[in-house]
Amino acid sequence: MLLNVSYTNKNITRKVDEAVGKPFTLKERWAMHGIGSPKLYITDTSVEINNLLILDSNTNSCNIEMRPKGIIVRFRSLLETFALVIPYYKLTVYKGDLGIYSIYKDHFFIKVKADTKAIQKYFRKFLDYKADNAPTSIEDL
């Protein structure tokens, strides 16, 4: 779900917490060595997100926050902050051409440039977390 999270709104906060869980505690964040990504530069997006990004002439960038049941991809446009809330069961990540990661949720997608080791390490961290905390599949039983 794509939401405007610029202002504090209890209904939006409740929707986000239901979809991806409440934020990690400080102790959990410390144990995980952080839950936020470095600055990610956007190379391509789906139509809905692109329509928001072309409204201003700033560099298109985003960041990712890990949550217990999903991730939140945040980006800014025209002094507004938007969030793409993606539960792990709807998250698909592809590693494309030469350091491009594609993050998909239903009909939304964002492609980001991953040209540094820190960004690649972060993607590995949240994909490992997703795999470790995924529900048991029928094939595993």
Side-chain angles (χ1 to χ4, degrees), residues 31-49:
M32 296 171 73
H33 303 288
I35 59 166
S37 72
K39 188 175 192 178
L40 304 170
Y41 293 99
I42 298 172
T43 59
D44 192 20
T45 61
S46 59
V47 175
E48 295 89 348
I49 297 171

Side-chain angles (χ1 to χ4, degrees), residues 2-4 45-58 60 75-84 108:
L2 186 62
L3 301 168
N4 185 342
T45 61
S46 59
V47 175
E48 295 89 348
I49 297 171
N50 191 42
N51 289 340
L52 293 171
L53 291 173
I54 62 173
L55 295 174
D56 64 4
S57 60
N58 296 333
N60 295 335
F75 58 92
R76 292 185 57 90
S77 179
L78 287 179
L79 302 176
E80 301 281 328
T81 304
F82 295 92
L84 180 61
F108 295 110

Side-chain angles (χ1 to χ4, degrees), residues 8-22:
T8 304
N9 184 334
K10 290 181 182 179
N11 292 332
I12 291 175
T13 304
R14 184 181 42 76
K15 284 181 188 177
V16 171
D17 289 347
E18 286 175 2
V20 293
K22 293 201 178 283

